Amino acid sequence: LAAFWAFYNTSLDAHPVLTKIATGVVGTILGDLLAQRLSHHHEEQAARSRGEPAPAFVYDLGRTARLVAYGVVVSTPVGHLWFKFLDTSVMPDAMTSMPAVVTKMVLDQLVMSPLSTALFFMVMRAWEGHPQDAFRYMRGKMVPTLKANYLLWPLAHIINFALVPPSQRILYCNAVGLIWTVILSTI
């Protein structure tokens, strides 16, 4: 494990964005597999409660592929640049001070979260083959998603900005993202 961690950090120093993208791909695949399995488990329970046979689990590879593509093209590169912007623009000489941490978290939650949430749902809907419906779909998902977001991410980002080294912020977000992917799949 120590050797892998050393390799990861060496790779992060040499190729930060590519390493974060690779980490994001793994996290997205694991998170979506978990979300799909949990969703199927709920379907099984509902069928059993109705006295019906449980449906077989069918892995939605297309869904996972869309999420991975979005992570590779949008969320990881944007996240990398966003965190770099926050760390260099918000009290860079005291980046882990409480005022800096809270300011970064507030900016993230009031600026990045609504924008990235809107973009995510519109792109996903378009990639599902319904581009004409993307805006309406996003509008229907925004309020419940942001409500769930505000229960998880503010605390997660207080920890992120206070304790996680800047180069490993995306890795930390990928770990929290496992939980978030499950939450998103229920909205």
Side-chain angles (χ1 to χ4, degrees):
L1 195 54
F4 179 76
W5 185 246
F7 168 76
Y8 175 79
N9 282 301
T10 300
S11 179
L12 197 55
D13 289 340
H15 309 286
V17 176
L18 290 177
T19 302
K20 292 171 185 178
I21 286 172
T23 306
V25 165
V26 171
T28 299
I29 291 169
L30 291 175
D32 192 49
L33 176 60
L34 177 62
Q36 288 188 42
R37 291 298 299 183
L38 286 172
S39 178
H40 178 257
H41 178 70
H42 293 303
E43 290 170 14
E44 285 180 321
Q45 287 180 326
R48 285 190 185 111
S49 73
R50 294 187 306 265
E52 300 172 358
F57 176 71
V58 178
Y59 180 64
D60 187 346
L61 181 61
R63 170 181 141 157
T64 303
R66 286 187 298 274
L67 290 169
V68 165
Y70 187 83
V72 167
V73 174
V74 180
S75 64
T76 301
V78 169
H80 169 80
L81 294 172
W82 175 246
F83 288 148
K84 188 174 183 176
F85 166 77
L86 290 176
D87 287 335
T88 58
S89 301
V90 178
M91 301 175 215
D93 296 330
M95 52 193 300
T96 59
S97 69
M98 195 48 65
V101 168
V102 170
T103 301
K104 290 178 199 179
M105 182 276 294
V106 168
L107 285 170
D108 187 78
Q109 293 304 296
L110 295 181
V111 176
M112 184 54 79
S113 289
L115 293 174
S116 63
T117 300
L119 182 62
F120 172 81
F121 283 120
M122 288 193 301
V123 169
M124 286 297 116
R125 192 67 174 166
W127 287 356
E128 290 169 351
H130 308 285
Q132 72 286 351
D133 186 42
F135 186 76
R136 185 196 61 76
Y137 181 76
M138 175 273 297
R139 286 188 52 158
K141 296 285 190 174
M142 282 298 288
V143 170
T145 302
L146 288 174
K147 282 181 180 179
N149 171 81
Y150 294 137
L151 293 174
L152 174 67
W153 286 105
L155 177 59
H157 279 313
I158 291 288
I159 294 167
N160 191 15
F161 295 127
L163 303 174
V164 178
S167 65
Q168 295 172 351
R169 294 198 197 287
I170 296 290
L171 176 61
Y172 170 80
C173 288
N174 288 335
V176 176
L178 290 173
I179 298 164
W180 182 238
T181 299
V182 173
I183 293 169
L184 273 181
S185 72
T186 66
I187 295 174

